[in-house]
Amino acid sequence: MSLLSKLKCITFDVTGTLIAYKGELGDYYCMAAKAAGKPCPDYKRMHEGFKTAYSDMAKKYPCFGFAAKIPNIEWWRTCVKDSFIRAGYEYDEETFENIFKRIYASFGSSAPYSVFPDAQPFMRWLRQKGVTVGIVSNAEYRYKDVILPALGLNKGSEWDFGVFSGVVGIEKPDKKIYEIALDMAGNVTPEETLHIGDSFRKDYLPAREVGMHAALLDRFKTLEAQKWSEAGAPVFPDLVSVQEWLTKEETVKVAGSNVN
């Protein structure tokens, strides 16, 4: 019996699992600054400034300001402004607003992202097999409404439901986001569900904690992947390999087996 025959639902992480960032953060900040008549910011300083600003905002106002009822655009306006300041760039209000609008529009479109070529075929194949497909992501509402559809990953053809942290107010690694996913899947047990992601801490551990099966993708050959495997996580290079694993006709020990 294959593992697939035991499953009713498979959920996916998004970034690093289904899609990837295209280019560097600095590319988009540079284009926005130049369009406003300002020099291109230093890429390294901009990247470090953003990392710190984003981390601080996420701690202070998690889930893109959900609990504090901060509008998504305002959350990002504060984050982007702080990113520039930390990188050593301060602009007058009008200039910053012109820059920010371009950055916000860019990251609310498909422009900075690319879809892994195995994502759409795999998700469609699962749905054709009668498996309910879900998304579980630490992302804001634009991923659900704009970005994923613009990338060809549509609700109704590639996925059936989505749980996005900016929409539900809970983010990974909180196991509650996986419990919400199980509720949204409808009439499935954790034992009939598999979650696929790229983070041991945010994807594998909390999914296992609620009783789901879990597998990890190592698309970029990370150093941590060997440790994931040694800790019992099934680790695969891509979704083609996951499909082979799911359809293998034998008794499979799931989510604790060392598949690499």
Side-chain angles (χ1 to χ4, degrees):
M1 178 183 283
S2 69
L3 172 55
L4 183 66
S5 65
K6 303 174 185 177
L7 298 173
K8 290 184 179 179
C9 176
I10 295 182
T11 60
F12 293 87
D13 165 58
V14 175
T15 307
T17 301
L18 300 176
I19 71 175
Y21 285 111
K22 209 161 49 177
E24 295 184 56
L25 176 90
D27 293 333
Y28 303 96
Y29 278 60
C30 178
M31 285 188 287
K34 288 173 83 172
K38 296 295 180 181
C40 182
D42 179 82
Y43 273 38
K44 186 177 180 182
R45 281 162 53 195
M46 201 69 250
H47 180 73
E48 291 303 316
F50 174 78
K51 270 174 50 178
T52 307
Y54 182 90
S55 177
D56 286 354
M57 278 297 286
K59 286 176 187 173
K60 192 173 182 181
Y61 302 109
C63 301
F64 306 95
F66 180 90
K69 295 183 168 57
I70 300 173
N72 188 69
I73 192 170
E74 293 303 327
W75 193 96
W76 279 113
R77 182 180 276 110
T78 302
C79 183
V80 171
K81 189 168 191 175
D82 193 31
S83 300
F84 276 113
I85 291 171
R86 288 172 184 270
Y89 302 94
E90 291 195 54
Y91 306 108
D92 62 74
E93 285 302 316
E94 183 180 353
T95 300
F96 171 73
E97 195 58 27
N98 287 336
I99 292 172
F100 170 70
K101 283 179 179 177
R102 287 178 179 274
I103 291 171
Y104 188 74
S106 291
F107 284 94
S109 72
S110 61
Y113 314 97
S114 60
V115 185
F116 289 111
D118 55 8
Q120 188 186 70
F122 183 63
M123 296 170 88
R124 288 187 174 183
W125 173 76
L126 288 174
R127 295 185 78 250
Q128 287 167 1
K129 293 288 185 182
V131 176
T132 299
V133 175
I135 302 286
V136 180
S137 175
N138 285 353
E140 37 122 329
Y141 79 92
R142 292 184 297 171
Y143 272 67
K144 174 171 94 60
D145 296 342
V146 181
I147 296 168
L148 291 179
L151 291 167
L153 301 179
N154 294 281
K155 185 176 182 180
S157 57
E158 281 73 38
W159 50 282
D160 299 288
F161 69 91
V163 188
F164 299 87
S165 63
V167 177
V168 300
I170 297 169
E171 61 188 11
K172 300 184 288 184
D174 191 329
K175 68 177 184 178
K176 290 178 184 174
I177 199 168
Y178 293 95
E179 292 169 348
I180 292 171
L182 289 167
D183 287 342
M184 291 183 73
N187 199 32
V188 300
T189 65
E191 295 78 16
E192 296 169 323
T193 307
L194 166 71
H195 178 69
I196 301 172
D198 70 333
S199 169
F200 188 78
R201 185 177 72 88
K202 294 181 180 180
D203 293 303
Y204 183 79
L205 289 178
R208 294 292 297 131
E209 190 178 351
V210 299
M212 295 167 65
H213 303 298
L216 293 172
L217 292 189
D218 177 33
R219 291 191 183 273
F220 303 108
K221 300 187 182 344
T222 59
L223 294 174
E224 295 88 355
Q226 185 60 37
K227 292 180 180 178
W228 302 345
S229 184
E230 289 169 357
V235 182
F236 301 93
D238 51 43
L239 291 173
V240 174
S241 301
V242 175
Q243 184 171 338
E244 292 171 357
W245 176 60
L246 289 174
T247 54
K248 196 171 182 181
E249 288 292 339
E250 60 179 39
T251 303
V252 183
K253 183 184 176 186
V254 230
S257 58
N258 289 316
V259 183
N260 204 336

PDB file of all heavy atoms in Angstrom, residues 27-48:
ATOM      1  N   ASP A  27      17.547  44.944  -5.483  1.00  0.00           N
ATOM      2  CA  ASP A  27      17.120  45.254  -6.851  1.00  0.00           C
ATOM      3  C   ASP A  27      15.857  46.112  -6.839  1.00  0.00           C
ATOM      4  O   ASP A  27      15.755  47.104  -7.571  1.00  0.00           O
ATOM      5  CB  ASP A  27      16.824  43.968  -7.634  1.00  0.00           C
ATOM      6  CG  ASP A  27      18.055  43.125  -7.881  1.00  0.00           C
ATOM      7  OD1 ASP A  27      19.160  43.699  -7.934  1.00  0.00           O
ATOM      8  OD2 ASP A  27      17.924  41.891  -8.017  1.00  0.00           O
ATOM      9  N   TYR A  28      14.903  45.733  -6.012  1.00  0.00           N
ATOM     10  CA  TYR A  28      13.600  46.406  -5.997  1.00  0.00           C
ATOM     11  C   TYR A  28      13.656  47.729  -5.243  1.00  0.00           C
ATOM     12  O   TYR A  28      13.007  48.703  -5.627  1.00  0.00           O
ATOM     13  CB  TYR A  28      12.553  45.456  -5.397  1.00  0.00           C
ATOM     14  CG  TYR A  28      12.492  44.167  -6.180  1.00  0.00           C
ATOM     15  CD1 TYR A  28      13.200  43.042  -5.766  1.00  0.00           C
ATOM     16  CD2 TYR A  28      11.791  44.094  -7.392  1.00  0.00           C
ATOM     17  CE1 TYR A  28      13.198  41.876  -6.520  1.00  0.00           C
ATOM     18  CE2 TYR A  28      11.782  42.932  -8.141  1.00  0.00           C
ATOM     19  CZ  TYR A  28      12.483  41.825  -7.700  1.00  0.00           C
ATOM     20  OH  TYR A  28      12.481  40.678  -8.452  1.00  0.00           O
ATOM     21  N   TYR A  29      14.466  47.775  -4.197  1.00  0.00           N
ATOM     22  CA  TYR A  29      14.646  49.036  -3.472  1.00  0.00           C
ATOM     23  C   TYR A  29      15.426  50.026  -4.339  1.00  0.00           C
ATOM     24  O   TYR A  29      15.161  51.223  -4.319  1.00  0.00           O
ATOM     25  CB  TYR A  29      15.366  48.777  -2.154  1.00  0.00           C
ATOM     26  CG  TYR A  29      14.439  48.292  -1.050  1.00  0.00           C
ATOM     27  CD1 TYR A  29      13.706  47.110  -1.180  1.00  0.00           C
ATOM     28  CD2 TYR A  29      14.283  49.015   0.118  1.00  0.00           C
ATOM     29  CE1 TYR A  29      12.857  46.677  -0.177  1.00  0.00           C
ATOM     30  CE2 TYR A  29      13.435  48.589   1.135  1.00  0.00           C
ATOM     31  CZ  TYR A  29      12.719  47.413   0.973  1.00  0.00           C
ATOM     32  OH  TYR A  29      11.868  46.996   1.965  1.00  0.00           O
ATOM     33  N   CYS A  30      16.384  49.522  -5.099  1.00  0.00           N
ATOM     34  CA  CYS A  30      17.175  50.374  -5.994  1.00  0.00           C
ATOM     35  C   CYS A  30      16.297  50.965  -7.099  1.00  0.00           C
ATOM     36  O   CYS A  30      16.345  52.168  -7.366  1.00  0.00           O
ATOM     37  CB  CYS A  30      18.310  49.558  -6.612  1.00  0.00           C
ATOM     38  SG  CYS A  30      19.328  50.493  -7.775  1.00  0.00           S
ATOM     39  N   MET A  31      15.495  50.114  -7.728  1.00  0.00           N
ATOM     40  CA  MET A  31      14.613  50.593  -8.804  1.00  0.00           C
ATOM     41  C   MET A  31      13.652  51.668  -8.291  1.00  0.00           C
ATOM     42  O   MET A  31      13.402  52.669  -8.962  1.00  0.00           O
ATOM     43  CB  MET A  31      13.826  49.429  -9.405  1.00  0.00           C
ATOM     44  CG  MET A  31      14.640  48.530 -10.307  1.00  0.00           C
ATOM     45  SD  MET A  31      13.627  47.308 -11.194  1.00  0.00           S
ATOM     46  CE  MET A  31      13.218  46.162  -9.881  1.00  0.00           C
ATOM     47  N   ALA A  32      13.133  51.461  -7.089  1.00  0.00           N
ATOM     48  CA  ALA A  32      12.182  52.417  -6.517  1.00  0.00           C
ATOM     49  C   ALA A  32      12.862  53.743  -6.194  1.00  0.00           C
ATOM     50  O   ALA A  32      12.307  54.821  -6.459  1.00  0.00           O
ATOM     51  CB  ALA A  32      11.549  51.832  -5.261  1.00  0.00           C
ATOM     52  N   ALA A  33      14.073  53.672  -5.642  1.00  0.00           N
ATOM     53  CA  ALA A  33      14.799  54.900  -5.300  1.00  0.00           C
ATOM     54  C   ALA A  33      15.174  55.682  -6.560  1.00  0.00           C
ATOM     55  O   ALA A  33      15.009  56.910  -6.626  1.00  0.00           O
ATOM     56  CB  ALA A  33      16.045  54.561  -4.492  1.00  0.00           C
ATOM     57  N   LYS A  34      15.663  54.983  -7.572  1.00  0.00           N
ATOM     58  CA  LYS A  34      16.059  55.651  -8.819  1.00  0.00           C
ATOM     59  C   LYS A  34      14.861  56.281  -9.522  1.00  0.00           C
ATOM     60  O   LYS A  34      14.970  57.355 -10.108  1.00  0.00           O
ATOM     61  CB  LYS A  34      16.770  54.651  -9.729  1.00  0.00           C
ATOM     62  CG  LYS A  34      18.166  54.282  -9.237  1.00  0.00           C
ATOM     63  CD  LYS A  34      18.794  53.169 -10.038  1.00  0.00           C
ATOM     64  CE  LYS A  34      19.442  53.674 -11.307  1.00  0.00           C
ATOM     65  NZ  LYS A  34      20.212  52.617 -11.984  1.00  0.00           N
ATOM     66  N   ALA A  35      13.719  55.628  -9.459  1.00  0.00           N
ATOM     67  CA  ALA A  35      12.504  56.177 -10.072  1.00  0.00           C
ATOM     68  C   ALA A  35      12.075  57.465  -9.374  1.00  0.00           C
ATOM     69  O   ALA A  35      11.417  58.321  -9.975  1.00  0.00           O
ATOM     70  CB  ALA A  35      11.375  55.152 -10.010  1.00  0.00           C
ATOM     71  N   ALA A  36      12.468  57.610  -8.088  1.00  0.00           N
ATOM     72  CA  ALA A  36      12.135  58.828  -7.335  1.00  0.00           C
ATOM     73  C   ALA A  36      13.271  59.849  -7.419  1.00  0.00           C
ATOM     74  O   ALA A  36      13.271  60.855  -6.705  1.00  0.00           O
ATOM     75  CB  ALA A  36      11.862  58.475  -5.877  1.00  0.00           C
ATOM     76  N   GLY A  37      14.256  59.577  -8.284  1.00  0.00           N
ATOM     77  CA  GLY A  37      15.341  60.520  -8.497  1.00  0.00           C
ATOM     78  C   GLY A  37      16.456  60.451  -7.466  1.00  0.00           C
ATOM     79  O   GLY A  37      17.247  61.391  -7.328  1.00  0.00           O
ATOM     80  N   LYS A  38      16.538  59.321  -6.747  1.00  0.00           N
ATOM     81  CA  LYS A  38      17.556  59.169  -5.719  1.00  0.00           C
ATOM     82  C   LYS A  38      18.562  58.088  -6.126  1.00  0.00           C
ATOM     83  O   LYS A  38      18.233  57.181  -6.901  1.00  0.00           O
ATOM     84  CB  LYS A  38      16.916  58.796  -4.380  1.00  0.00           C
ATOM     85  CG  LYS A  38      15.998  59.876  -3.823  1.00  0.00           C
ATOM     86  CD  LYS A  38      16.793  61.137  -3.486  1.00  0.00           C
ATOM     87  CE  LYS A  38      15.896  62.231  -2.936  1.00  0.00           C
ATOM     88  NZ  LYS A  38      16.657  63.461  -2.620  1.00  0.00           N
ATOM     89  N   PRO A  39      19.778  58.149  -5.594  1.00  0.00           N
ATOM     90  CA  PRO A  39      20.776  57.120  -5.929  1.00  0.00           C
ATOM     91  C   PRO A  39      20.346  55.743  -5.418  1.00  0.00           C
ATOM     92  O   PRO A  39      19.570  55.627  -4.471  1.00  0.00           O
ATOM     93  CB  PRO A  39      22.037  57.598  -5.194  1.00  0.00           C
ATOM     94  CG  PRO A  39      21.792  59.027  -4.854  1.00  0.00           C
ATOM     95  CD  PRO A  39      20.323  59.186  -4.692  1.00  0.00           C
ATOM     96  N   CYS A  40      20.895  54.743  -6.041  1.00  0.00           N
ATOM     97  CA  CYS A  40      20.615  53.366  -5.633  1.00  0.00           C
ATOM     98  C   CYS A  40      21.249  53.092  -4.269  1.00  0.00           C
ATOM     99  O   CYS A  40      22.444  53.320  -4.085  1.00  0.00           O
ATOM    100  CB  CYS A  40      21.190  52.414  -6.678  1.00  0.00           C
ATOM    101  SG  CYS A  40      20.866  50.689  -6.342  1.00  0.00           S
ATOM    102  N   PRO A  41      20.465  52.627  -3.285  1.00  0.00           N
ATOM    103  CA  PRO A  41      21.045  52.313  -1.969  1.00  0.00           C
ATOM    104  C   PRO A  41      22.025  51.146  -2.057  1.00  0.00           C
ATOM    105  O   PRO A  41      21.922  50.302  -2.944  1.00  0.00           O
ATOM    106  CB  PRO A  41      19.818  51.922  -1.129  1.00  0.00           C
ATOM    107  CG  PRO A  41      18.630  52.431  -1.877  1.00  0.00           C
ATOM    108  CD  PRO A  41      19.012  52.397  -3.322  1.00  0.00           C
ATOM    109  N   ASP A  42      22.948  51.108  -1.128  1.00  0.00           N
ATOM    110  CA  ASP A  42      23.896  50.009  -1.048  1.00  0.00           C
ATOM    111  C   ASP A  42      23.151  48.707  -0.746  1.00  0.00           C
ATOM    112  O   ASP A  42      22.379  48.627   0.212  1.00  0.00           O
ATOM    113  CB  ASP A  42      24.913  50.291   0.060  1.00  0.00           C
ATOM    114  CG  ASP A  42      25.928  49.179   0.214  1.00  0.00           C
ATOM    115  OD1 ASP A  42      26.892  49.155  -0.547  1.00  0.00           O
ATOM    116  OD2 ASP A  42      25.714  48.325   1.105  1.00  0.00           O
ATOM    117  N   TYR A  43      23.372  47.697  -1.570  1.00  0.00           N
ATOM    118  CA  TYR A  43      22.616  46.446  -1.453  1.00  0.00           C
ATOM    119  C   TYR A  43      22.811  45.776  -0.095  1.00  0.00           C
ATOM    120  O   TYR A  43      21.850  45.343   0.539  1.00  0.00           O
ATOM    121  CB  TYR A  43      23.029  45.475  -2.562  1.00  0.00           C
ATOM    122  CG  TYR A  43      22.273  45.639  -3.858  1.00  0.00           C
ATOM    123  CD1 TYR A  43      21.929  46.900  -4.334  1.00  0.00           C
ATOM    124  CD2 TYR A  43      21.908  44.531  -4.610  1.00  0.00           C
ATOM    125  CE1 TYR A  43      21.242  47.050  -5.533  1.00  0.00           C
ATOM    126  CE2 TYR A  43      21.222  44.667  -5.815  1.00  0.00           C
ATOM    127  CZ  TYR A  43      20.892  45.936  -6.274  1.00  0.00           C
ATOM    128  OH  TYR A  43      20.207  46.077  -7.449  1.00  0.00           O
ATOM    129  N   LYS A  44      24.070  45.662   0.339  1.00  0.00           N
ATOM    130  CA  LYS A  44      24.342  44.951   1.587  1.00  0.00           C
ATOM    131  C   LYS A  44      23.711  45.680   2.772  1.00  0.00           C
ATOM    132  O   LYS A  44      23.073  45.059   3.632  1.00  0.00           O
ATOM    133  CB  LYS A  44      25.849  44.801   1.788  1.00  0.00           C
ATOM    134  CG  LYS A  44      26.201  43.944   3.003  1.00  0.00           C
ATOM    135  CD  LYS A  44      27.698  43.741   3.133  1.00  0.00           C
ATOM    136  CE  LYS A  44      28.010  42.883   4.364  1.00  0.00           C
ATOM    137  NZ  LYS A  44      29.473  42.704   4.543  1.00  0.00           N
ATOM    138  N   ARG A  45      23.898  46.993   2.834  1.00  0.00           N
ATOM    139  CA  ARG A  45      23.323  47.774   3.929  1.00  0.00           C
ATOM    140  C   ARG A  45      21.806  47.697   3.907  1.00  0.00           C
ATOM    141  O   ARG A  45      21.149  47.593   4.947  1.00  0.00           O
ATOM    142  CB  ARG A  45      23.783  49.224   3.832  1.00  0.00           C
ATOM    143  CG  ARG A  45      25.202  49.448   4.355  1.00  0.00           C
ATOM    144  CD  ARG A  45      25.810  50.743   3.868  1.00  0.00           C
ATOM    145  NE  ARG A  45      24.959  51.899   4.141  1.00  0.00           N
ATOM    146  CZ  ARG A  45      25.138  53.089   3.567  1.00  0.00           C
ATOM    147  NH1 ARG A  45      26.120  53.256   2.682  1.00  0.00           N
ATOM    148  NH2 ARG A  45      24.353  54.098   3.867  1.00  0.00           N
ATOM    149  N   MET A  46      21.241  47.717   2.701  1.00  0.00           N
ATOM    150  CA  MET A  46      19.782  47.665   2.572  1.00  0.00           C
ATOM    151  C   MET A  46      19.252  46.310   3.046  1.00  0.00           C
ATOM    152  O   MET A  46      18.239  46.240   3.741  1.00  0.00           O
ATOM    153  CB  MET A  46      19.403  47.896   1.101  1.00  0.00           C
ATOM    154  CG  MET A  46      17.985  48.364   0.869  1.00  0.00           C
ATOM    155  SD  MET A  46      17.688  50.042   1.455  1.00  0.00           S
ATOM    156  CE  MET A  46      16.637  49.732   2.865  1.00  0.00           C
ATOM    157  N   HIS A  47      19.948  45.262   2.671  1.00  0.00           N
ATOM    158  CA  HIS A  47      19.524  43.914   3.065  1.00  0.00           C
ATOM    159  C   HIS A  47      19.570  43.758   4.580  1.00  0.00           C
ATOM    160  O   HIS A  47      18.620  43.243   5.188  1.00  0.00           O
ATOM    161  CB  HIS A  47      20.424  42.875   2.393  1.00  0.00           C
ATOM    162  CG  HIS A  47      20.060  41.453   2.728  1.00  0.00           C
ATOM    163  ND1 HIS A  47      18.936  40.847   2.218  1.00  0.00           N
ATOM    164  CD2 HIS A  47      20.662  40.542   3.534  1.00  0.00           C
ATOM    165  CE1 HIS A  47      18.859  39.614   2.693  1.00  0.00           C
ATOM    166  NE2 HIS A  47      19.895  39.402   3.491  1.00  0.00           N
ATOM    167  N   GLU A  48      20.670  44.210   5.187  1.00  0.00           N
ATOM    168  CA  GLU A  48      20.808  44.103   6.646  1.00  0.00           C
ATOM    169  C   GLU A  48      19.784  44.990   7.350  1.00  0.00           C
ATOM    170  O   GLU A  48      19.208  44.600   8.369  1.00  0.00           O
ATOM    171  CB  GLU A  48      22.232  44.485   7.073  1.00  0.00           C
ATOM    172  CG  GLU A  48      23.295  43.489   6.641  1.00  0.00           C
ATOM    173  CD  GLU A  48      23.026  42.088   7.154  1.00  0.00           C
ATOM    174  OE1 GLU A  48      22.664  41.947   8.337  1.00  0.00           O
ATOM    175  OE2 GLU A  48      23.183  41.128   6.377  1.00  0.00           O
TER     176      GLU A  48
END
